[in-house]
Amino acid sequence: MEVGTLQEEKEFRILVINPGSTSTKIGVFDNERSIFEKTIRHDTEILQKYQSIIEQYEFRKQTILDALDEEGINISKLSAVCGRGGLLRPIEGGTYRVNEQMLEDLRKGYAGQHASNLGGILAHEIASALNIPAFIVDPVVVDELEPIARISGFSLIERRSIFHALNQKAVARRVAKQLGKKYEELNLIVTHMGGGITVGAHKQGRVVDVNNGLDGEGPFSPERAGTVPAGDLVSLCFSGEYYRDEIMKMLVGQGGLVGYLGTNDAVKVEKMIEEGDQKAKLVYSAMAYQVAKEIGAASAVLAGKVDAIILTGGLAYGKEFVKEIADRVKWIADVIVHPGENELQALAEGALRVLRGEEEEKEYPGNSVKTKVMQ
C-alpha cells in the first residue's frame, strides 16, 4: 500500500478558528467531517476594554478553550490548529505554517488592523502548548496577479489583489474534484458574492487577475460601490461637502445596495421587488449585470479557455439573481452554483492537505510578492 493512501486513511483532528470583530467562530473536524462548530459571541463592553484588537488574544483564547471544554472535546487529541489568515504581506496562495515573522507582522498590523489578524496568533498560542503545528490558509492578501494585471493605467496607482481567497480557492478545488480534475489543471472563473463581490480568473491553480473587492473596483455589491467614474469621484472629494472618512464610508459600507435602497439584505430587496418596487428591481438587476460584465472580462483574461464559471457566497442563494447572471454568461462555459461560504470547512481542508502530504506547507513570507511593477 502506498504511503499517500495510508495518510489519507489516518484520521486527523483539526481545530479551526475564524475571528470576527465581535465574535469568534470555531470548529473541530475529523478529516473533512465537522464534529463541532460554534460561534462565540463577545460582549462589546469587554472588547472595548482592550486598546487594540491584538490585545484581545488572551481573552479570546480562553473563551475558545472554555467552549471546547464545555463540549467535552479533549484538545490533546488535536493534530493541528488552523486560523484565518490576516492582513499580511502579499503572498501566493496555500497553507502556511505560523512562524515568528508571521506573528510579528500580525501583531503590528503589517497591512492594517483587523480581527482576522488574531487567527494565526490564536492558532499558534493553542498549538504551541500542545506541540502540534499551527497554520493559516489563503488569507485575503493572496497575490498571484500576473505583471500585466497590475497596470492600472494611472502610473501612481498599482492594481492590488485583495479578495475572498479562502472561499474562492476552496470552492474551486471542490468543483475540480467534481469534474474529476486537479485544480491546477483547470481554468475557472470564480465569483464570490457576499457583502463584497470578487471575480477571480483562476488559471491552472493561480488567480492571475481579480478585482479589489474591498475598496477599489469591480461590481457594486450589497455594501460597496465598486468601480465608479473617476472624474466624478475626484470632483466629489474636492467639493468641500465631505470629509475623507465620509467618502470612504460611502464607497465601503454605505455603497451599493445600501446607498441605493437603504439595506444590505438581499432577501429584503427581493421582497421589495415582489411587492412591485421598480427601483429595487432595476438596482438589483444592475448588480447582476455588473457581475456578468466582470465575468466576461475574466473570460478575456483566460483567452476564452474557461472550463467552468462558479458562483458562490451568500448571494448565490438568490435563484433569480443567479439566473440573471447565468443567462448573460452561460455561453462562455457551464455555470456551477455553490451557495454560501463555509470558511471553517475551507480552513480544515487546507490544513488537511498538508497533514496528508497532498500539498507542501509554505514558509512565510517565502518569496513574498513584490507588488511594485515600476518605479
Side-chain angles (χ1 to χ4, degrees), residues 287-301:
M287 188 164 69
Y289 172 83
Q290 289 197 6
V291 171
K293 277 210 305 183
E294 196 74 16
I295 291 171
S299 73
V301 170

Side-chain angles (χ1 to χ4, degrees), residues 6 17 50 121 128 132-134 137 162 353:
L6 286 170
I17 304 169
Y50 300 97
I121 295 171
S128 60
I132 57 176
V137 180
I162 300 178
R353 287 193 297 274

Side-chain angles (χ1 to χ4, degrees), residues 89-355:
R89 301 166 193 262
I91 51 177
E92 65 180 7
T95 299
Y96 286 78
R97 177 80 73 110
V98 178
N99 59 19
E100 285 303 318
Q101 180 65 66
M102 183 187 294
L103 291 171
E104 182 182 336
D105 285 351
L106 289 171
R107 288 177 184 131
K108 72 182 181 183
Y110 179 86
Q113 295 290 347
H114 190 272
S116 61
N117 290 7
L118 287 166
I121 295 171
L122 290 167
H124 170 77
E125 287 288 320
I126 295 172
S128 60
L130 301 170
N131 198 28
I132 57 176
F135 301 110
I136 66 163
V137 180
D138 291 328
V140 295
V141 294
V142 164
D143 186 339
E144 297 168 339
L145 297 187
E146 292 184 340
I148 198 169
R150 300 187 189 282
I151 306 296
S152 70
F154 183 40
S155 63
L156 298 181
I157 298 175
E158 182 176 293
R159 292 186 68 242
R160 295 186 297 157
S161 176
I162 300 178
F163 71 112
H164 304 90
L166 181 63
N167 189 45
Q168 280 210 24
K169 283 192 171 265
V171 172
R173 289 180 183 278
R174 289 173 202 147
V175 168
K177 195 172 184 179
Q178 290 172 11
L179 298 175
K181 300 275 190 177
K182 291 183 179 179
Y183 171 48
E184 293 77 14
E185 295 174 340
L186 297 173
N187 286 352
L188 303 167
I189 298 173
V190 185
T191 302
H192 176 104
M193 305 182 296
I197 295 175
T198 54
V199 181
H202 295 237
K203 184 178 181 180
Q204 298 176 346
R206 296 179 65 82
V207 185
V208 296
D209 203 345
V210 66
N211 63 296
N212 174 352
L214 177 62
D215 60 3
E217 56 186 356
F220 73 82
S221 73
E223 298 175 350
R224 299 169 196 175
T227 300
V228 296
D232 293 335
L233 179 60
V234 170
S235 296
L236 195 66
C237 290
F238 286 90
S239 67
E241 296 182 29
Y242 304 100
Y243 291 108
R244 180 186 183 279
D245 288 349
E246 291 177 303
I247 294 286
M248 288 304 298
K249 281 184 180 178
M250 285 189 281
L251 293 174
V252 182
Q254 295 175 3
L257 294 185
V258 174
Y260 284 108
L261 304 174
T263 180
N264 64 358
D265 189 334
V267 176
K268 287 184 179 178
V269 174
E270 288 171 356
K271 188 174 181 182
M272 291 164 69
I273 294 169
E274 286 177 12
E275 293 171 351
D277 189 321
Q278 292 302 306
K279 180 181 178 182
K281 183 178 181 180
L282 177 63
V283 171
Y284 205 48
S285 290
M287 188 164 69
Y289 172 83
Q290 289 197 6
V291 171
K293 277 210 305 183
E294 196 74 16
I295 291 171
S299 73
V301 170
L302 298 172
K305 297 174 183 176
V306 182
D307 293 296
I309 296 167
I310 305 168
L311 304 181
T312 185
L315 290 176
Y317 285 111
K319 291 182 180 179
E320 287 302 314
F321 185 71
V322 164
K323 184 177 183 303
E324 284 200 48
I325 297 168
D327 284 347
R328 292 185 182 275
V329 301
K330 60 188 178 185
W331 60 272
I332 300 169
D334 289 342
V335 177
I336 300 172
V337 183
H338 270 256
E341 56 175 311
N342 194 335
E343 293 169 331
L344 297 182
Q345 181 84 38
L347 290 170
E349 289 171 357
L352 189 58
R353 287 193 297 274
V354 168
L355 294 174

